[in-house]
Amino acid sequence: MAYLTSENNEQMEQIRQSTRDFAEKFIRPHVMEWDEAQTFPIDLFHKMGEYGLMGVLVPETYGGSGLGYQEYITIIDEISKVCGSIGLSVAAHNSLCTNHILTFANESQKQKYLPKLASGEWIGAWGLTETGTGSDAGGMMTTAVEDGDYFVLNGSKNFITHAISSEVAVVITRTGKQGDSHGMTAFIIEKGLDGFSAGKKENKLGMRASETACLFFDNCRVHKDQIIGKVGDGFVQSLKLLDGGRISIAALALGIAKGAYEAALRYSRERKQFGQEIFNFQGISFKLADMATEIEASELLTRQAGQMKNDGVKNTKEAAMAKYFASETAVRVSNEAIQIHGGYGYLKDFPVEKHYRDAKLCTIGEGTSEIQKLVIAREIGR
């Protein structure tokens, strides 16, 4: 684990241990069962709410845990070491839907939604991406047209975590001209509203226990009271939110990498060839040395971005660096973990094949690695 200051160590270790205990007791026994069946274990998320894991950043006045980004990174890290799917869903719920409301909603909206989200009573979704506009979010086609006290929404959102099971979604729509950064607006939309529906669950390579589907809007009338901030603020809000989202994915990738590394290290001590542990062979020990070093660097980048976020310091570059490096590290480490396992690494009886499948999403979701490099280059070129 990357170095932490002494003033944070005791509390952080308590949070780490309690999260680890939760993951071992309630998640690990079901990991492959949920993965194979693509089960989104909604009861687990209600239970996580009881343990304070669904409102990590939400102040206690709204029923949350009132913690900061360092604690949040630790929680995502520990859950993701056991199951990337569950780590992804916890991250999406906390850093996107819940955090959008926490950061930009008015007091009435916060009072209405945050306690239910923080307690895990409600699961949250967040919709920006569309079928034809992934990285080019500014070109979105989903529209919201003013009609008296309402806006009428038409269109769809793609690759939405918790699209089916969520009770509430924050959705960004186009209220102005296409491509206008001030022409998009965020709405809070509750399940059951006429014209608002979800599509089929996507059949994914990895993260199979984290539910992903489309959201559809067919003349869906949403009251103006459900607008977050002002009309036209939605895209700017999203960009600010994505810095925190990138820290979440960095923490997710960090946990997956650690899970793969720890499994590989353990296996290298158990597996014997030519009369000795395979760890003793330089070809194996050097792989593990590289893995450990890249994980340590990933954690330091992630912790730095988290601390800057805590301190209210602009962290666009640092969050992008953390997300980019940690996600690519997760893929490399998981790949090497399979190699160390040899043929056994290709079997579902061993955990590393799942880490490998889950890791790839981290290089795509909440901005691809290429987009992170674009962001980094823009920041260092200022």
Side-chain angles (χ1 to χ4, degrees), residues 208-276:
R208 290 165 63 83
S210 179
E211 177 187 280
T212 307
C214 290
L215 290 174
F216 297 105
F217 307 92
D218 181 11
N219 291 321
C220 177
R221 294 175 63 82
V222 182
H223 197 276
K224 290 180 178 178
D225 287 347
Q226 299 303 101
I227 293 172
I228 299 179
K230 298 177 182 178
V231 172
D233 284 353
F235 189 64
V236 175
Q237 293 171 359
S238 299
L239 291 180
K240 291 178 181 177
L241 204 69
L242 285 173
D243 285 345
R246 287 167 183 151
I247 296 170
S248 289
I249 300 300
L252 170 65
L254 179 65
I256 293 171
K258 285 183 181 179
Y261 164 75
E262 290 173 7
L265 179 61
R266 186 167 57 249
Y267 182 82
S268 76
R269 290 297 195 181
E270 296 168 351
R271 176 73 165 168
K272 290 184 170 61
Q273 293 282 273
F274 306 103
Q276 58 184 309

Side-chain angles (χ1 to χ4, degrees), residues 57-59 62 69 94-107 109-110 114 170 228-229 236-238 240-242 244 309:
L57 302 169
V58 176
Y62 300 113
Y69 269 82
N94 275 280
S95 74
L96 295 178
C97 178
T98 304
N99 203 33
H100 199 142
I101 294 171
L102 174 64
T103 306
F104 298 109
N106 61 42
E107 187 59 29
Q109 292 167 334
K110 289 179 183 180
L114 289 179
V170 173
I228 299 179
V236 175
Q237 293 171 359
S238 299
K240 291 178 181 177
L241 204 69
L242 285 173
K309 187 74 174 174

